[in-house]
Amino acid sequence: MAEIIYEDNHIIAVYKRSSDLVQGDKTGDKSLDNEVKSYIEEKYRKPGRAFLGVVHRLDRPVSGVLLFARTSKALERLNEIFRTRQVKKVYFAIVKERPPEDEATITHFLKKNEKQNKSYVYDNEVKGSKEGSLTYRLKARSEKYYLLEIELHSGRHHQIRAQLARIGCPVKGDLKYGYPRSNEDGSINLFARRLEFIHPVRNEAITIKGHFPEGDIWSLFTDAVQ
């Protein structure tokens, strides 16, 4: 069972490992949403299938905070919070190349290729593209790598991966977006660290934060992360 980070009557957040699948797909692999449903049914002895709404998604090779809604009312309100960008989404990425600036907000137009399951990035709007924006900050460096803290302002397909690749900084392990070598475990070094938003029912500010990933590369930067 995935690690539970936060839970109340309306929402539940888990720590997604890099190999976890958020929702079932053609692979037939076990998915986190079904895992969490089973956990709720067993813990609260619910008859039948428990309600669980998927609020957002993380790419399979990405780790970090994943939020679900436990009620339809919470799901409806969280969908609106995410749609209107009233949520702060903070990530960390490890890259090999130093970014052009130590801190910058970058905006591009992204167009998803369904067959390739890949997004292409353009400086100007093209047919079928959607605007995507993020702010990155150089947080730390090691002998070979750089740690970037990223605030995601929109939620486009593969947005962080595609935009960082566009500025010459593909995420470590991300073959799809130009990194030369894969990680042994199939992960990429992109981590969803924190979500900040107004609780959909209690109407109070809430912050949900996941622990830093384990592993030799991530351990180089643990002292730099709050």
Short mmCIF file of all heavy atoms in Angstrom, two decimals, residues 2-7 11-18 20 22 32 54-59 62-68 82 87-92 152 190-197 206-213:
data_model
loop_
_atom_site.label_atom_id
_atom_site.label_comp_id
_atom_site.label_asym_id
_atom_site.label_seq_id
_atom_site.Cartn_x
_atom_site.Cartn_y
_atom_site.Cartn_z
N ALA A 2 0.47 2.24 -0.78
CA ALA A 2 1.21 3.50 -0.82
C ALA A 2 1.16 4.20 0.53
O ALA A 2 0.23 4.03 1.32
CB ALA A 2 0.60 4.40 -1.89
N GLU A 3 2.17 4.99 0.80
CA GLU A 3 2.24 5.74 2.05
C GLU A 3 1.20 6.86 2.07
O GLU A 3 1.13 7.66 1.14
CB GLU A 3 3.64 6.33 2.19
CG GLU A 3 3.84 7.21 3.40
CD GLU A 3 5.17 7.93 3.38
OE1 GLU A 3 6.05 7.55 2.59
OE2 GLU A 3 5.32 8.89 4.17
N ILE A 4 0.39 6.91 3.12
CA ILE A 4 -0.59 7.98 3.28
C ILE A 4 0.10 9.20 3.89
O ILE A 4 0.70 9.12 4.96
CB ILE A 4 -1.75 7.55 4.19
CG1 ILE A 4 -2.39 6.25 3.67
CG2 ILE A 4 -2.80 8.66 4.29
CD1 ILE A 4 -3.03 6.35 2.33
N ILE A 5 0.01 10.35 3.21
CA ILE A 5 0.62 11.58 3.71
C ILE A 5 -0.39 12.40 4.51
O ILE A 5 -0.07 13.00 5.53
CB ILE A 5 1.15 12.43 2.54
CG1 ILE A 5 2.18 11.66 1.72
CG2 ILE A 5 1.78 13.73 3.07
CD1 ILE A 5 2.62 12.39 0.48
N TYR A 6 -1.63 12.42 4.01
CA TYR A 6 -2.68 13.23 4.66
C TYR A 6 -4.01 12.55 4.40
O TYR A 6 -4.26 12.02 3.32
CB TYR A 6 -2.68 14.65 4.09
CG TYR A 6 -3.78 15.52 4.68
CD1 TYR A 6 -3.54 16.31 5.79
CD2 TYR A 6 -5.07 15.53 4.12
CE1 TYR A 6 -4.55 17.09 6.35
CE2 TYR A 6 -6.08 16.31 4.67
CZ TYR A 6 -5.81 17.07 5.78
OH TYR A 6 -6.82 17.83 6.34
N GLU A 7 -4.90 12.64 5.40
CA GLU A 7 -6.22 12.03 5.24
C GLU A 7 -7.23 12.72 6.15
O GLU A 7 -6.96 12.96 7.32
CB GLU A 7 -6.16 10.54 5.57
CG GLU A 7 -7.47 9.80 5.43
CD GLU A 7 -7.35 8.33 5.81
OE1 GLU A 7 -6.26 7.89 6.22
OE2 GLU A 7 -8.38 7.63 5.71
N ILE A 11 -10.62 14.45 1.70
CA ILE A 11 -9.49 14.28 0.77
C ILE A 11 -8.49 13.28 1.36
O ILE A 11 -8.46 13.04 2.56
CB ILE A 11 -8.77 15.62 0.48
CG1 ILE A 11 -8.19 16.22 1.77
CG2 ILE A 11 -9.72 16.60 -0.21
CD1 ILE A 11 -7.41 17.51 1.52
N ILE A 12 -7.68 12.73 0.48
CA ILE A 12 -6.61 11.84 0.91
C ILE A 12 -5.43 12.03 -0.05
O ILE A 12 -5.62 12.14 -1.26
CB ILE A 12 -7.08 10.36 0.96
CG1 ILE A 12 -5.98 9.46 1.52
CG2 ILE A 12 -7.55 9.87 -0.41
CD1 ILE A 12 -6.47 8.05 1.85
N ALA A 13 -4.23 12.14 0.51
CA ALA A 13 -3.03 12.32 -0.29
C ALA A 13 -2.06 11.19 0.02
O ALA A 13 -1.89 10.79 1.17
CB ALA A 13 -2.38 13.66 0.00
N VAL A 14 -1.43 10.66 -1.04
CA VAL A 14 -0.47 9.58 -0.87
C VAL A 14 0.86 9.97 -1.50
O VAL A 14 0.94 10.89 -2.31
CB VAL A 14 -0.98 8.26 -1.52
CG1 VAL A 14 -2.32 7.86 -0.93
CG2 VAL A 14 -1.08 8.39 -3.04
N TYR A 15 1.90 9.24 -1.10
CA TYR A 15 3.21 9.41 -1.71
C TYR A 15 3.31 8.44 -2.88
O TYR A 15 3.31 7.22 -2.69
CB TYR A 15 4.33 9.14 -0.70
CG TYR A 15 5.70 9.42 -1.25
CD1 TYR A 15 6.28 10.67 -1.11
CD2 TYR A 15 6.42 8.43 -1.93
CE1 TYR A 15 7.54 10.94 -1.62
CE2 TYR A 15 7.67 8.69 -2.46
CZ TYR A 15 8.23 9.94 -2.29
OH TYR A 15 9.47 10.21 -2.81
N LYS A 16 3.38 8.98 -4.08
CA LYS A 16 3.49 8.14 -5.28
C LYS A 16 4.96 7.80 -5.54
O LYS A 16 5.78 8.70 -5.66
CB LYS A 16 2.91 8.88 -6.49
CG LYS A 16 3.02 8.09 -7.79
CD LYS A 16 2.71 8.96 -8.98
CE LYS A 16 2.97 8.23 -10.30
NZ LYS A 16 4.37 7.76 -10.47
N ARG A 17 5.24 6.53 -5.63
CA ARG A 17 6.58 6.10 -6.01
C ARG A 17 6.74 6.20 -7.53
O ARG A 17 5.77 6.22 -8.26
CB ARG A 17 6.83 4.67 -5.53
CG ARG A 17 6.78 4.52 -4.01
CD ARG A 17 6.47 3.12 -3.59
NE ARG A 17 5.16 2.68 -4.07
CZ ARG A 17 4.52 1.62 -3.62
NH1 ARG A 17 5.04 0.89 -2.67
NH2 ARG A 17 3.34 1.29 -4.12
N SER A 18 7.97 6.23 -7.99
CA SER A 18 8.21 6.46 -9.42
C SER A 18 7.65 5.36 -10.30
O SER A 18 7.40 5.60 -11.48
CB SER A 18 9.71 6.63 -9.68
OG SER A 18 10.42 5.48 -9.28
N ASP A 20 4.74 3.75 -9.67
CA ASP A 20 3.29 3.63 -9.48
C ASP A 20 2.50 4.20 -10.66
O ASP A 20 2.85 5.25 -11.22
CB ASP A 20 2.85 4.34 -8.20
CG ASP A 20 3.30 3.63 -6.95
OD1 ASP A 20 3.52 2.41 -7.01
OD2 ASP A 20 3.43 4.29 -5.90
N VAL A 22 -1.08 5.85 -11.68
CA VAL A 22 -2.15 6.58 -10.99
C VAL A 22 -3.50 5.94 -11.26
O VAL A 22 -4.28 5.67 -10.35
CB VAL A 22 -2.16 8.07 -11.41
CG1 VAL A 22 -3.35 8.79 -10.77
CG2 VAL A 22 -0.86 8.74 -10.99
N LEU A 32 -2.86 3.08 -8.42
CA LEU A 32 -2.96 3.69 -7.10
C LEU A 32 -4.40 3.98 -6.71
O LEU A 32 -4.76 3.85 -5.54
CB LEU A 32 -2.15 4.99 -7.08
CG LEU A 32 -0.70 4.91 -6.61
CD1 LEU A 32 -0.06 6.28 -6.66
CD2 LEU A 32 -0.59 4.32 -5.22
N VAL A 54 -10.09 11.20 -8.86
CA VAL A 54 -8.73 11.57 -9.24
C VAL A 54 -8.71 13.07 -9.54
O VAL A 54 -9.37 13.54 -10.45
CB VAL A 54 -8.26 10.77 -10.48
CG1 VAL A 54 -6.88 11.22 -10.91
CG2 VAL A 54 -8.28 9.28 -10.18
N VAL A 55 -7.95 13.80 -8.75
CA VAL A 55 -7.91 15.26 -8.87
C VAL A 55 -6.88 15.71 -9.89
O VAL A 55 -7.11 16.63 -10.67
CB VAL A 55 -7.60 15.89 -7.49
CG1 VAL A 55 -7.49 17.42 -7.60
CG2 VAL A 55 -8.66 15.50 -6.47
N HIS A 56 -5.73 15.08 -9.90
CA HIS A 56 -4.65 15.42 -10.84
C HIS A 56 -3.83 14.15 -11.05
O HIS A 56 -4.06 13.13 -10.41
CB HIS A 56 -3.78 16.56 -10.30
CG HIS A 56 -3.01 16.19 -9.06
ND1 HIS A 56 -1.65 16.35 -8.93
CD2 HIS A 56 -3.42 15.62 -7.89
CE1 HIS A 56 -1.26 15.93 -7.74
NE2 HIS A 56 -2.31 15.47 -7.09
N ARG A 57 -2.87 14.21 -11.94
CA ARG A 57 -2.07 13.03 -12.26
C ARG A 57 -0.59 13.38 -12.24
O ARG A 57 -0.21 14.52 -12.47
CB ARG A 57 -2.46 12.48 -13.65
CG ARG A 57 -3.87 11.90 -13.68
CD ARG A 57 -4.35 11.69 -15.11
NE ARG A 57 -5.69 11.13 -15.13
CZ ARG A 57 -6.82 11.83 -14.96
NH1 ARG A 57 -6.75 13.14 -14.73
NH2 ARG A 57 -7.99 11.24 -15.01
N LEU A 58 0.22 12.36 -12.00
CA LEU A 58 1.67 12.46 -12.13
C LEU A 58 2.11 11.40 -13.13
O LEU A 58 1.60 10.27 -13.10
CB LEU A 58 2.37 12.23 -10.79
CG LEU A 58 2.09 13.24 -9.67
CD1 LEU A 58 2.77 12.79 -8.38
CD2 LEU A 58 2.56 14.63 -10.06
N ASP A 59 3.05 11.73 -14.01
CA ASP A 59 3.57 10.76 -14.96
C ASP A 59 4.13 9.55 -14.21
O ASP A 59 4.65 9.68 -13.09
CB ASP A 59 4.68 11.38 -15.81
CG ASP A 59 4.19 12.58 -16.62
OD1 ASP A 59 2.98 12.68 -16.87
OD2 ASP A 59 5.04 13.41 -17.00
N VAL A 62 7.51 9.64 -12.40
CA VAL A 62 7.65 10.75 -11.45
C VAL A 62 7.17 10.31 -10.07
O VAL A 62 6.22 9.53 -9.95
CB VAL A 62 6.83 11.97 -11.94
CG1 VAL A 62 6.86 13.11 -10.93
CG2 VAL A 62 7.34 12.43 -13.30
N SER A 63 7.81 10.81 -9.03
CA SER A 63 7.39 10.50 -7.66
C SER A 63 6.83 11.75 -6.99
O SER A 63 7.01 12.87 -7.48
CB SER A 63 8.58 9.96 -6.85
OG SER A 63 9.61 10.93 -6.79
N GLY A 64 6.15 11.55 -5.84
CA GLY A 64 5.74 12.70 -5.05
C GLY A 64 4.29 12.68 -4.60
O GLY A 64 3.63 11.63 -4.59
N VAL A 65 3.80 13.86 -4.23
CA VAL A 65 2.48 14.03 -3.62
C VAL A 65 1.37 13.87 -4.66
O VAL A 65 1.37 14.56 -5.68
CB VAL A 65 2.36 15.41 -2.95
CG1 VAL A 65 0.95 15.62 -2.39
CG2 VAL A 65 3.40 15.56 -1.84
N LEU A 66 0.42 12.98 -4.35
CA LEU A 66 -0.72 12.76 -5.23
C LEU A 66 -2.00 12.89 -4.41
O LEU A 66 -2.15 12.23 -3.39
CB LEU A 66 -0.63 11.37 -5.87
CG LEU A 66 -1.70 11.04 -6.90
CD1 LEU A 66 -1.54 11.89 -8.15
CD2 LEU A 66 -1.63 9.56 -7.27
N LEU A 67 -2.90 13.73 -4.87
CA LEU A 67 -4.12 14.05 -4.13
C LEU A 67 -5.35 13.40 -4.75
O LEU A 67 -5.53 13.43 -5.97
CB LEU A 67 -4.30 15.57 -4.10
CG LEU A 67 -5.52 16.13 -3.36
CD1 LEU A 67 -5.42 15.85 -1.86
CD2 LEU A 67 -5.63 17.64 -3.62
N PHE A 68 -6.22 12.83 -3.90
CA PHE A 68 -7.50 12.28 -4.33
C PHE A 68 -8.61 12.93 -3.51
O PHE A 68 -8.39 13.40 -2.40
CB PHE A 68 -7.56 10.76 -4.09
CG PHE A 68 -6.61 9.95 -4.91
CD1 PHE A 68 -5.43 9.48 -4.36
CD2 PHE A 68 -6.90 9.62 -6.23
CE1 PHE A 68 -4.55 8.70 -5.09
CE2 PHE A 68 -6.03 8.86 -6.98
CZ PHE A 68 -4.85 8.39 -6.41
N PHE A 82 -8.12 23.52 -9.16
CA PHE A 82 -7.03 23.23 -10.09
C PHE A 82 -7.25 23.91 -11.44
O PHE A 82 -6.31 24.43 -12.03
CB PHE A 82 -6.88 21.71 -10.27
CG PHE A 82 -6.02 21.06 -9.23
CD1 PHE A 82 -6.47 20.91 -7.92
CD2 PHE A 82 -4.76 20.58 -9.54
CE1 PHE A 82 -5.69 20.31 -6.95
CE2 PHE A 82 -3.96 19.97 -8.58
CZ PHE A 82 -4.43 19.84 -7.28
N VAL A 87 -4.03 26.71 -6.84
CA VAL A 87 -3.22 25.74 -6.11
C VAL A 87 -1.76 26.00 -6.45
O VAL A 87 -1.42 26.30 -7.59
CB VAL A 87 -3.63 24.30 -6.47
CG1 VAL A 87 -3.54 24.06 -7.97
CG2 VAL A 87 -2.78 23.29 -5.73
N LYS A 88 -0.92 25.94 -5.45
CA LYS A 88 0.52 26.09 -5.67
C LYS A 88 1.13 24.70 -5.75
O LYS A 88 0.99 23.89 -4.82
CB LYS A 88 1.16 26.88 -4.53
CG LYS A 88 2.64 27.16 -4.74
CD LYS A 88 3.20 28.08 -3.65
CE LYS A 88 4.66 28.41 -3.92
NZ LYS A 88 5.22 29.35 -2.89
N LYS A 89 1.80 24.42 -6.87
CA LYS A 89 2.40 23.11 -7.11
C LYS A 89 3.92 23.27 -7.21
O LYS A 89 4.41 23.97 -8.11
CB LYS A 89 1.84 22.51 -8.40
CG LYS A 89 0.35 22.24 -8.36
CD LYS A 89 -0.19 21.74 -9.68
CE LYS A 89 -0.49 22.85 -10.65
NZ LYS A 89 -1.20 22.41 -11.86
N VAL A 90 4.64 22.66 -6.29
CA VAL A 90 6.09 22.81 -6.24
C VAL A 90 6.75 21.45 -6.49
O VAL A 90 6.40 20.45 -5.87
CB VAL A 90 6.54 23.37 -4.87
CG1 VAL A 90 8.07 23.44 -4.79
CG2 VAL A 90 5.95 24.75 -4.63
N TYR A 91 7.71 21.45 -7.39
CA TYR A 91 8.45 20.25 -7.77
C TYR A 91 9.95 20.48 -7.59
O TYR A 91 10.40 21.62 -7.51
CB TYR A 91 8.21 19.92 -9.26
CG TYR A 91 6.84 19.45 -9.63
CD1 TYR A 91 5.75 20.31 -9.63
CD2 TYR A 91 6.61 18.13 -10.03
CE1 TYR A 91 4.48 19.88 -10.00
CE2 TYR A 91 5.36 17.69 -10.40
CZ TYR A 91 4.30 18.57 -10.38
OH TYR A 91 3.06 18.13 -10.75
N PHE A 92 10.70 19.37 -7.58
CA PHE A 92 12.15 19.43 -7.68
C PHE A 92 12.59 18.55 -8.84
O PHE A 92 12.02 17.48 -9.07
CB PHE A 92 12.82 18.95 -6.39
CG PHE A 92 12.79 19.97 -5.28
CD1 PHE A 92 11.86 19.86 -4.26
CD2 PHE A 92 13.67 21.03 -5.27
CE1 PHE A 92 11.82 20.79 -3.24
CE2 PHE A 92 13.64 21.97 -4.25
CZ PHE A 92 12.72 21.86 -3.23
N LEU A 152 4.91 25.18 -10.75
CA LEU A 152 4.17 24.95 -11.99
C LEU A 152 2.91 25.80 -12.00
O LEU A 152 2.07 25.68 -11.11
CB LEU A 152 3.82 23.46 -12.08
CG LEU A 152 3.22 22.94 -13.38
CD1 LEU A 152 4.18 23.15 -14.54
CD2 LEU A 152 2.88 21.46 -13.23
N LEU A 190 12.37 13.66 -11.21
CA LEU A 190 11.39 14.73 -11.06
C LEU A 190 10.46 14.33 -9.92
O LEU A 190 9.94 13.21 -9.90
CB LEU A 190 10.60 14.93 -12.35
CG LEU A 190 9.51 16.01 -12.35
CD1 LEU A 190 10.09 17.39 -12.04
CD2 LEU A 190 8.78 16.04 -13.70
N PHE A 191 10.28 15.25 -8.97
CA PHE A 191 9.61 14.93 -7.71
C PHE A 191 8.60 16.02 -7.38
O PHE A 191 8.93 17.21 -7.32
CB PHE A 191 10.68 14.83 -6.62
CG PHE A 191 10.19 14.90 -5.21
CD1 PHE A 191 9.21 14.04 -4.74
CD2 PHE A 191 10.74 15.83 -4.33
CE1 PHE A 191 8.78 14.11 -3.42
CE2 PHE A 191 10.32 15.90 -3.02
CZ PHE A 191 9.33 15.04 -2.56
N ALA A 192 7.33 15.62 -7.19
CA ALA A 192 6.27 16.55 -6.80
C ALA A 192 6.34 16.73 -5.29
O ALA A 192 5.89 15.88 -4.53
CB ALA A 192 4.90 16.01 -7.22
N ARG A 193 6.90 17.84 -4.84
CA ARG A 193 7.21 18.06 -3.43
C ARG A 193 6.03 18.53 -2.60
O ARG A 193 5.79 18.05 -1.49
CB ARG A 193 8.33 19.09 -3.34
CG ARG A 193 8.64 19.63 -1.95
CD ARG A 193 9.20 18.59 -1.03
NE ARG A 193 9.82 19.19 0.14
CZ ARG A 193 10.38 18.51 1.13
NH1 ARG A 193 10.39 17.21 1.09
NH2 ARG A 193 10.93 19.13 2.16
N ARG A 194 5.23 19.50 -3.13
CA ARG A 194 4.28 20.18 -2.25
C ARG A 194 3.06 20.68 -3.01
O ARG A 194 3.18 21.15 -4.15
CB ARG A 194 5.00 21.35 -1.59
CG ARG A 194 4.28 22.01 -0.47
CD ARG A 194 5.18 22.97 0.31
NE ARG A 194 5.40 24.24 -0.38
CZ ARG A 194 6.56 24.64 -0.87
NH1 ARG A 194 7.63 23.85 -0.79
NH2 ARG A 194 6.67 25.81 -1.45
N LEU A 195 1.89 20.61 -2.37
CA LEU A 195 0.66 21.22 -2.84
C LEU A 195 0.14 22.17 -1.76
O LEU A 195 0.09 21.79 -0.59
CB LEU A 195 -0.41 20.16 -3.13
CG LEU A 195 -0.20 19.23 -4.33
CD1 LEU A 195 -1.28 18.15 -4.33
CD2 LEU A 195 -0.22 20.00 -5.64
N GLU A 196 -0.24 23.37 -2.15
CA GLU A 196 -0.84 24.33 -1.24
C GLU A 196 -2.15 24.83 -1.84
O GLU A 196 -2.17 25.27 -2.99
CB GLU A 196 0.10 25.52 -0.99
CG GLU A 196 1.43 25.15 -0.37
CD GLU A 196 2.36 26.34 -0.20
OE1 GLU A 196 1.85 27.49 -0.20
OE2 GLU A 196 3.58 26.14 -0.10
N PHE A 197 -3.25 24.76 -1.06
CA PHE A 197 -4.55 25.16 -1.58
C PHE A 197 -5.50 25.38 -0.41
O PHE A 197 -5.18 25.10 0.74
CB PHE A 197 -5.10 24.09 -2.54
CG PHE A 197 -5.17 22.71 -1.93
CD1 PHE A 197 -6.35 22.24 -1.36
CD2 PHE A 197 -4.06 21.87 -1.91
CE1 PHE A 197 -6.43 20.97 -0.79
CE2 PHE A 197 -4.12 20.59 -1.34
CZ PHE A 197 -5.31 20.15 -0.78
N ILE A 206 -4.25 24.80 3.41
CA ILE A 206 -3.65 23.50 3.70
C ILE A 206 -2.41 23.31 2.84
O ILE A 206 -2.38 23.72 1.67
CB ILE A 206 -4.67 22.36 3.48
CG1 ILE A 206 -4.09 21.01 3.89
CG2 ILE A 206 -5.14 22.31 2.04
CD1 ILE A 206 -5.11 19.89 3.91
N THR A 207 -1.38 22.72 3.43
CA THR A 207 -0.15 22.38 2.71
C THR A 207 0.11 20.90 2.89
O THR A 207 0.11 20.40 4.02
CB THR A 207 1.05 23.18 3.23
OG1 THR A 207 0.84 24.57 3.01
CG2 THR A 207 2.33 22.76 2.52
N ILE A 208 0.32 20.19 1.79
CA ILE A 208 0.63 18.76 1.83
C ILE A 208 2.01 18.58 1.20
O ILE A 208 2.23 18.97 0.05
CB ILE A 208 -0.42 17.92 1.10
CG1 ILE A 208 -1.81 18.15 1.71
CG2 ILE A 208 -0.05 16.44 1.15
CD1 ILE A 208 -2.92 17.44 0.99
N LYS A 209 2.94 18.01 1.96
CA LYS A 209 4.33 17.92 1.51
C LYS A 209 4.81 16.48 1.62
O LYS A 209 4.56 15.80 2.61
CB LYS A 209 5.20 18.84 2.37
CG LYS A 209 6.66 18.89 1.95
CD LYS A 209 7.38 20.07 2.60
CE LYS A 209 7.54 19.91 4.08
NZ LYS A 209 8.39 20.98 4.66
N GLY A 210 5.51 16.03 0.60
CA GLY A 210 6.07 14.69 0.59
C GLY A 210 7.54 14.68 0.96
O GLY A 210 8.25 15.65 0.70
N HIS A 211 7.99 13.59 1.57
CA HIS A 211 9.41 13.49 1.93
C HIS A 211 10.26 13.37 0.68
O HIS A 211 9.82 12.90 -0.37
CB HIS A 211 9.64 12.29 2.86
CG HIS A 211 9.27 10.97 2.25
ND1 HIS A 211 10.06 10.32 1.32
CD2 HIS A 211 8.19 10.16 2.43
CE1 HIS A 211 9.49 9.18 0.96
NE2 HIS A 211 8.35 9.07 1.61
N PHE A 212 11.51 13.81 0.79
CA PHE A 212 12.43 13.77 -0.34
C PHE A 212 12.67 12.33 -0.76
O PHE A 212 12.76 11.43 0.10
CB PHE A 212 13.76 14.43 0.07
CG PHE A 212 14.40 15.22 -1.02
CD1 PHE A 212 13.68 16.14 -1.76
CD2 PHE A 212 15.75 15.07 -1.31
CE1 PHE A 212 14.28 16.89 -2.76
CE2 PHE A 212 16.37 15.80 -2.30
CZ PHE A 212 15.62 16.72 -3.03
N PRO A 213 12.76 12.05 -2.06
CA PRO A 213 12.96 10.66 -2.51
C PRO A 213 14.26 10.07 -1.97
O PRO A 213 15.23 10.79 -1.69
CB PRO A 213 13.02 10.79 -4.04
CG PRO A 213 12.38 12.09 -4.34
CD PRO A 213 12.66 12.98 -3.18
#
